[in-house]
Amino acid sequence: MTGNGVLDVFVVAGIVAGGLGLVALLGRGLRRLWRLGQAMDDFLDDWQGAVARPGVPARAGVMERLGVIEHEVRHNDGSSLKDAVRRVETKLDAHLKEEREGTNAFFKVQEMEE
């Protein structure tokens, strides 16, 4: 290469070191790409859901789970969370109105006992 044996050893060592560095960088990049692919695969499994298989129960997808949530926050036949909150709110309003008017029998009994 250069004609000088000692210098040639260093040139070859530099080429080998550069090659190994390049292989290490490529390996690192491929590893990151692999992890990104695995994360995308996990995301898509969560999004689409998964069918049951031996030893693993089925998992609903995102759209199915959102449908369940939507059912709970809309008025329906009285079984949704929103309907339950409305019932409690109505009863609480009636209770507070009775308290303000002094027609609440519970508090009248307590006042009589004192």
Side-chain angles (χ1 to χ4, degrees), residues 6-46:
V6 174
L7 188 57
D8 286 344
V9 170
F10 285 111
V11 168
V12 169
I15 292 172
V16 169
L20 289 175
L22 184 62
V23 167
L25 283 175
L26 287 174
R28 210 174 199 187
L30 288 174
R31 184 173 166 201
R32 286 184 180 170
L33 281 175
W34 179 261
R35 286 183 180 172
L36 179 63
Q38 293 288 55
M40 288 298 295
D41 188 43
D42 292 342
F43 169 77
L44 290 175
D45 281 347
D46 287 342

